[in-house]
Amino acid sequence: MKTRFLFFLLFILTTAAETTDPTLNDDILGLIVFKADLEDPQSKLASWNEDDVDPCGWVGVKCDSRSRRVAELSLDGLGLSGKIGRGLLQLSSLRKLSLSRNNFSGALNPDLTRLENLHTVDLSDNALSGPIPSKFFWQCRSLRSVSLAVNRLSGEIPATVGNCLTLASLNLSSNLISGSLPSEILSLYGLRVLDLSGNFLIGKIPSGMGRMFNLRTVSLKRNWLSGILPDDIGGCLLLRSLDLGENLLSGVLPETMRRLAMCSYLSLRSNNFTGDVPLWLGDMKNLRTLDLSKNGFSGGVPDSIGSLQFLKRLNFSENSLTGSLPESMGSCRGLVVVDFSRNSLVGSLPSWLFQLGLQKILLSGNNLNGSVRISSASEQTVQILDLSANTFSGLIPSEIEGLLSLQTLNLSHNFFIGSIPVIFGKLNVLEVVDLSVNQLHGNIPQEIGAAVSLRDLKLEKNSLSGGIPIQIGNCSSLTSLILSHNNLSGPIPPTLAKLTNLQIIDLSRNNLSGNLPKELSALPHLLSLNISHNFFSGEVPSGLFNKISPSSLSDNPDLCGSAVNRSCSTVLPKPIVLNPNSSSSHSPSSEFSPENLRHKKIILSISALIAIGAAVLIALGVITITLLNFHVRAATSHSAATLNISDDYMSQSPATDANSGKLVMFGRDDPDFSTGAHAILNKDCELGRGGFGTVYKTVLRDGKPVVIKKLTVSSLVKSRDDFEREIKKFGKMKHPNLVCLEGYYWTKSLQLLIYEFVSGGSLFKHLHESPELNCLSWQERFDIILGVARSLAHLHRHGIIHYNLKSNNVLIDGSGEPKIADYGLAKLLPMLDRYILSSKIQSALGYMAPEFACQAVKITDKCDVYGFGVLVLEIVTGKKPVEYMEDDVVVLCDVVRGALDEGRVEECLDGRLAGKFPVEEAVPVVKLGLICTSQVPSNRPDMNEVVKILELIRCPQDSQADDLC
Ligand SMILES: *[C@@H]1O[C@H](CO)[C@@H](O)[C@H](O)[C@H]1NC(C)=O
Ligand SMILES: *[C@@H]1O[C@H](CO)[C@@H](O)[C@H](O)[C@H]1NC(C)=O
Ligand SMILES: *[C@@H]1O[C@H](CO)[C@@H](O)[C@H](O)[C@H]1NC(C)=O
Ligand SMILES: *[C@@H]1O[C@H](CO)[C@@H](O)[C@H](O)[C@H]1NC(C)=O
């Protein structure tokens, strides 16, 4: 219905309308047709109803009160789009057309200006394109104001513009207009506002401009205008605002400009003007903003600036000004912003600087010198104080604490001495503090914690000492923390991890030590972290540091982990035994100076219960943890003995009962155990580090050696109840081929697992590090394979997946029996996060089943079967699962599989076994290994089947195999 009606209207419009007298009906028809041409997605023009007798009540429409003809159409910002249609041409009484801030597109309709009464046209901020038609200005009759700003109009400004003698305002800014300024524009004597900024105008500003004496506002900024300013520019006596910034204008400023006494805004920024800053600028008495920045002005700052009484903003930055800042400027009472950055000014700070109520003081990059004196402590207006890159010296004045509105303080690259003044507790809106590259001493004040709005803190290249205050954890807005090149010591405060906005941390080249808090890896926005050239130690937490370039970790000799290519994980059976009676023969004597030794003996003779490691304190040396409040509980079937151990390893303060942990030893209730005892924590008893924690060896009071594993995944460990449930399950896993879990210790922050000590070292050592003469015989190897298979079958029967099978985790006891360690620990993680897991056990590279990498596949015990298969191949070939050659990576299974296909599988066997193994056993074992490493989990046998197969493979009798090779 409706479209048919509009079609009908259009038909009428193009035929009858031209011939009839203009009537009210024409206005309705015109508007309806205009509406039909546009899109109105928000139905803003819903009130425009063709059945009305009168459009005067429609949205955006205003009528002349007498003639009732449409006089104004204002549809700004209504989200309209489409074409500005011909319907408007019917509105013959239209005086004002304003369609700004819509999305009208297409070309500019040149006939619009034919409307006799049209006074104001504002089509700014639309998507009009194409050139401005000559006709647009040719036929203008009463046009006073035209704005076509912020469109996509292109081409040149038509010379016909000179015809619109009535024009008072022409705004063509922010289009794609090119070419030069037509000289015809000079005949627009009535023009008050000319804005051609943000186009591609080239060439010179035509001389004769001075005849346009009505001009009030001229903006030609952001074009490519070049050449010198016309000499007569001073003729525009009424000029209030002149913006010629960001062009290519050059030469000296014409002296006629001194006559622009009304001018309050003058920007010549970013041009190529040269010569002295003219003395006569002082005659432009009305100036409020004077921006000569980024030019080639030279010479001194004229004293006459002082006569600019109303001056508020002065920007002379990035010129070549010399001399000192004139004292005369003290009379610029209204001054708010001064920017003299990047000139060659000398001398000391003028006295007016802190007396005028300035908000922004920017003087960086000059040669200003002397000490900084802030005369009036009541100066509360300063928001930005940038004195960087000068040669200021002396102390940072303590009066700075009176600058209560200070947001940015930049004193970097000077010669300030002394300590950091009390700014942080006092100045509550500080956002940026840059004191870098000075000669400051002393500590970073603890009051830093009060700086809650601080975003950037830069203190690098000073001589600051002491620790990083833990209070820094309260600076919740901090995004950038740069403390490099100082003498800071102590650890990274863990509170740093609370600063979730941090993006950049640079602590390089200090004397910082301790472990890297793994919580840092949780910082969501961290882009860069540099801790190089310090004394950090311990494992580099995965997750974070794997993403960070090795150079930002470099020169921390005690760091380990894959990120620094230094292994933490080797469980090297280099037994550094704590008991001095047995230790002397094994330990390097240097570590046991007589005094040390005596000290240890004393501790041990009183105590000797458990050596417990806590990484924080390892760095600090020998720490005692007191066992307190011993309780016996024999409630469970395991008759567990329960002790409380004070959990003071964090605070280093004497034990408090409040935070005590719980020690449970399975199957022990002997009274010897119950006497209160001391435990010591000592790096000397560290056996090694694995994916899940650090391993220590110690001797229980009853003389039984145990291994203590301190879990490093503590934040990942489940709740105490879950932890205990899992652990008790492991505690029940008695099997000759499993390392027995003897007990555990639990607090929120520290979890220890206590295992039986296995004396013979790891399978890895036996296979890859023992001398040729001493290598495992075939028989021993077969026994190990079978033992491992049995223990895995046992675990799987009880629903435990090992997850981390590798030759490092297979220990060989005194009688050659294999015992698997580390089983099921992955189960302690709250969720089986494969990312964490695979990074935790990345040292198990090569043993990991392919489905592990695949989020979608369920991890089953077939995963262990894969690892077992790799282990089998490792045992029979004596080669590591993955070997890194000079420019090649050799994956064991692939090599063996290839060899099998080519029928030369025997060549793969460990060379040290040459001729000393029964082929009829060896080949099936290799095949079994290969089947276990099938890519598809369901193609792998389960461990029960593996055990049966192995028992079948074993030859009934084979004596020769017992020989050593
Ligand atoms: C403006 O109109 C064009 C098409 O004419 C369309 O692609 C664009 O999304 C519109 N923009 C807005 C802001 O409506
Ligand atoms: C020109 O139009 C733009 C966009 O509407 C506006 O921002 C600017 O202030 C106008 N120029 C002058 C001198 O009024
Ligand atoms: C400014 O002038 C200098 C020499 O007077 C010239 O080398 C330089 O290219 C000019 N810069 C621009 C942007 O025109
Ligand atoms: C001064 O001018 C420079 C260059 O044009 C500009 O980067 C700076 O922000 C200006 N200073 C102030 C305080 O506006």
Side-chain angles (χ1 to χ4, degrees), residues 269-270 291 293-294 313 315-318 337-339 360 362:
R269 70 184 286 258
S270 200
D291 189 345
S293 63
K294 273 193 150 172
R313 301 167 174 274
N315 196 340
F316 279 5
S317 69
E318 297 184 61
V337 176
V338 285
D339 191 344
K360 300 183 183 176
L362 298 139

Side-chain angles (χ1 to χ4, degrees), residues 774-796:
N774 218 354
C775 94
L776 296 166
S777 69
W778 172 258
Q779 198 56 47
E780 286 167 323
R781 292 180 199 222
F782 195 98
D783 287 343
I784 290 169
I785 292 173
L786 189 55
V788 171
R790 283 177 175 147
S791 65
L792 284 176
H794 183 74
L795 286 176
H796 291 176

Side-chain angles (χ1 to χ4, degrees), residues 834-897:
R834 292 177 210 194
Y835 174 72
I836 295 176
L837 205 54
S838 55
S839 65
K840 278 287 154 210
I841 59 179
Q842 59 191 337
S843 49
L845 191 69
Y847 300 92
M848 212 182 291
E851 68 268 23
F852 219 95
C854 172
Q855 236 14 355
V857 180
K858 193 168 173 282
I859 301 289
T860 65
D861 46 25
K862 290 293 174 71
C863 216
D864 282 348
V865 178
Y866 185 94
F868 173 79
V870 175
L871 193 75
V872 167
L873 298 179
E874 181 180 359
I875 293 172
V876 297
T877 61
K879 299 215 170 58
K880 294 177 191 163
V882 177
E883 303 230 13
Y884 296 92
M885 305 307 193
E886 207 161 302
D887 48 7
D888 202 10
V889 179
V890 180
V891 178
L892 182 57
C893 328
D894 298 348
V895 173
V896 177
R897 192 165 279 124

Side-chain angles (χ1 to χ4, degrees), residues 39 41 79-82 102-106 127 152:
E39 279 154 45
L80 308 175
S81 57
N102 284 294
N103 194 10
F104 286 109
S105 53
R152 282 177 228 138

